[in-house]
């Protein structure tokens, strides 16, 4: 959690008043050098840190918003951030962006840092490692404004903005099936993420609709979502080394899609002659790939805008929020040559 020791704990241990301890930690001239030294040394000994939540709740509005994403150098998140900034700056709010690099520990550190800077609210897209959402629940219970987008925590009753992951995955899988591919592998992110489970369900539903037997060996999870090239290389090699290898791959995120495409080509695998590919990506140059890439495109900019509008409403509301909404936006399937078997046979 965010705090282990409080000023009251220090005061009790040293036999001082809480106001004396507080002033000593803040370097007040009213406190003697000896007392300051005593308090500071004890605080260091117990690794005391000020509670960023309490500070942020006590301070006046900073007119800044904290953003937590896995990676800025990601087509989807960079576009979502553009949407966030478009609304925030128009409403007089600054935006502070942090990256988790899919680490839950870094995510918590980032949140603590943002709170210490007295942000008025948080826009959060969970890391692939995150399973403990109790810090966010603690914040939410204290009335601190949080909106989740894309990668959401279903257990927390607050505003959320997602896309129709099930339908996006269903459409991607079905476009491969309709082109004649039946051995379709599924390269996906960590199963910790709700979006991974929703996209798997869409993939599985498309197979079931067309009476294609599900093969568990065709499912590969990349816990770092394509940020580690080696992780994707291992997954792709395991698929191509199967006795009955897939004839198509459906990938579920920006990084996975572009990295998988690169690896297939570096292995000398022709697309779509040897293996077809369809993936979630918001790359603006997907049509310039060789061959042009069939993609599921998410309304990332709109997602950022909607999430920010919801957050600012929470921040500026005078009383407690009574009702929360989950906004689900639609994806767009753009069919190109990477999934068109008949053009190559």
């Amino acid at each position: 959690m965010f705090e282990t020791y409080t000023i009251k704990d220090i005061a009790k241990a040293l036999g001082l008043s809480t106001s004396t301890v507080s002033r000593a930690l803040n370097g007040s001239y009213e406190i003697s050098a000896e007392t300051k030294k005593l308090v500071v040394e004890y605080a260091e000994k117990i690794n005391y840190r000020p509670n960023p939540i309490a500070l942020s709740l006590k301070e006046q509005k900073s007119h800044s918003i904290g953003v937590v994403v896995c990676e800025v150098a990601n087509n989807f998140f960079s576009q979502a951030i553009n949407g966030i900034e478009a609304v925030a700056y128009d409403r007089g709010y600054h935006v502070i962006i942090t990256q988790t690099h899919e680490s839950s520990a870094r995510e918590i550190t980032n949140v603590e840092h943002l709170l210490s800077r007295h942000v008025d609210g948080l826009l959060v897209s969970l890391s692939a490692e995150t399973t403990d959402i109790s810090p966010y629940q603690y914040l939410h219970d204290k009335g601190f404004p949080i909106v989740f987008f894309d990668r959401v925590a279903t257990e927390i009753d607050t505003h959320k903005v997602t896309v129709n992951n099930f339908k996006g995955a269903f459409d991607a899988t079905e476009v491969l099936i309709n082109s004649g591919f039946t051995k379709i592998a599924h390269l996906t992110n960590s199963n910790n993420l709700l979006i991974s489970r929703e996209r798997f369900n869409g993939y599985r539903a498309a197979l079931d609709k067309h009476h294609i037997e599900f093969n568990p060996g065709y499912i590969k999870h990349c816990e770092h979502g394509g940020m580690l090239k080696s992780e994707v290389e291992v997954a792709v090699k395991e698929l191509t080394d199967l006795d009955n290898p897939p004839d198509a791959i459906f990938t579920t995120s920006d990084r996975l899609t572009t990295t998988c495409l690169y690896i297939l080509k570096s292995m000398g695998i022709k697309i779509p002659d040897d293996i077809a590919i369809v993936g979630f990506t918001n790359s603006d140059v997907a049509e310039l790939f060789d061959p042009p890439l069939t993609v599921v495109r998410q309304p990332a900019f709109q997602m950022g805008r909607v999430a920010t509008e919801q957050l600012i409403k929470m921040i500026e509301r005078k009383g407690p929020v009574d009702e929360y909404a989950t906004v689900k936006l639609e994806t767009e399937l753009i069919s190109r040559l990477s999934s068109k078997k008949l053009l190559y046979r």
Side-chain angles (χ1 to χ4, degrees):
M1 201 47 108
F2 293 107
E3 177 184 346
T4 303
Y5 294 96
T6 67
I7 286 178
K8 288 182 180 179
D9 295 326
I10 298 174
K12 183 177 180 181
L14 299 179
L16 301 170
S17 69
T18 54
S19 61
T20 297
V21 171
S22 179
R23 288 198 295 269
L25 290 171
N26 288 322
S28 172
Y29 68 90
E30 299 175 307
I31 306 301
S32 69
E34 182 181 352
T35 301
K36 285 181 187 176
K37 184 173 184 292
L38 177 68
V39 171
V40 170
E41 286 182 351
Y42 184 76
E44 290 176 350
K45 177 182 176 182
I46 64 173
N47 195 29
Y48 165 77
R49 290 181 297 169
N51 184 346
I53 300 169
L55 287 173
S56 64
L57 293 175
K58 282 169 59 180
E59 296 290 331
Q60 293 183 343
K61 300 296 184 185
S62 65
H63 291 282
S64 61
I65 291 170
V67 179
V68 180
V69 296
C70 67
E71 183 188 29
V72 174
N74 175 304
N75 292 300
F76 169 78
F77 284 112
S78 65
Q79 291 167 24
I81 289 168
N82 286 341
I84 290 168
E85 291 182 330
V87 173
Y89 290 125
D90 186 57
R91 298 286 296 275
Y93 287 83
H94 295 286
V95 177
I96 306 172
I97 301 163
T98 64
Q99 303 179 87
T100 66
H101 296 287
E102 304 294 20
S103 164
S104 58
R106 184 174 292 190
E107 181 173 311
I108 292 301
T109 299
N110 289 349
V111 171
E112 289 182 329
H113 172 71
L114 290 169
L115 292 171
S116 72
R117 295 182 67 173
H118 313 306
V119 295
D120 297 332
L122 292 174
L123 292 169
V124 179
S125 188
L126 297 172
S127 81
E129 273 189 356
T130 300
T131 55
D132 178 14
I133 52 87
S134 60
Y136 295 113
Q137 186 67 65
Y138 179 76
L139 280 169
H140 180 64
D141 291 345
K142 293 291 185 181
F144 191 82
I146 303 175
V147 172
F148 291 98
F149 70 102
D150 185 49
R151 303 167 170 200
V152 305
T154 56
E155 304 93 326
I156 299 177
D157 186 19
T158 188
H159 292 308
K160 306 176 183 74
V161 187
T162 66
V163 299
N164 192 337
N165 290 298
F166 179 93
K167 186 175 186 301
F170 183 95
D171 291 345
T173 308
E174 189 169 59
V175 78
L176 289 167
I177 296 170
N178 289 339
S179 291
F181 299 100
T182 57
K183 297 184 294 181
I184 303 169
H186 184 50
L187 193 62
T188 187
N189 287 351
S190 168
N191 203 49
N192 291 336
L193 297 171
L194 176 64
I195 59 171
S196 297
R197 301 193 295 273
E198 290 177 337
R199 291 173 187 179
F200 170 78
N201 290 339
Y203 158 81
R204 182 69 186 271
L207 296 182
D208 292 344
K209 175 186 173 181
H210 293 273
H211 309 292
I212 296 173
E213 184 178 356
F214 170 67
N215 184 343
Y218 285 168
I219 310 301
K220 295 295 177 183
H221 289 277
C222 293
E223 300 301 318
H224 294 86
M227 292 180 66
L228 297 181
K229 179 184 169 186
S230 58
E231 186 179 51
V232 185
E233 283 180 323
V234 169
V236 172
K237 192 170 189 312
E238 287 176 350
L239 289 171
T240 56
D241 285 347
L242 290 171
D243 292 336
N244 186 26
D247 58 9
I249 299 177
F250 163 46
T251 57
T252 62
S253 70
D254 237 309
R255 277 286 191 181
L256 280 179
T257 300
T258 54
T259 304
C260 179
L261 182 66
Y262 172 81
I263 290 169
L264 288 171
K265 297 190 76 169
S266 68
M267 293 172 64
I269 294 173
K270 295 181 180 179
I271 303 167
D273 298 66
D274 300 323
I275 295 181
I277 182 170
V278 175
F280 273 75
T281 180
N282 274 45
S283 172
D284 290 326
V285 296
E287 63 183 332
L288 302 180
F289 292 165
D290 182 23
L293 187 62
T294 297
V295 301
V296 178
R297 190 174 179 88
Q298 302 178 77
F301 184 86
Q302 184 184 359
M303 181 181 287
R305 286 189 63 94
V306 172
T308 309
E309 287 166 355
Q310 289 181 324
L311 183 65
I312 291 175
K313 284 180 182 177
M314 292 177 71
I315 292 169
E316 297 182 349
R317 186 181 175 93
K318 300 302 182 184
V321 181
D322 300 320
E323 295 183 359
Y324 299 98
T326 295
V327 178
K328 187 174 289 188
L329 306 173
E330 293 301 325
T331 58
E332 178 187 9
L333 177 72
I334 304 173
S335 183
R336 301 190 180 103
L337 294 182
S338 71
S339 63
K340 295 186 182 299
K341 181 176 184 179
L342 296 179
L343 293 178
Y344 283 77
R345 296 295 182 182

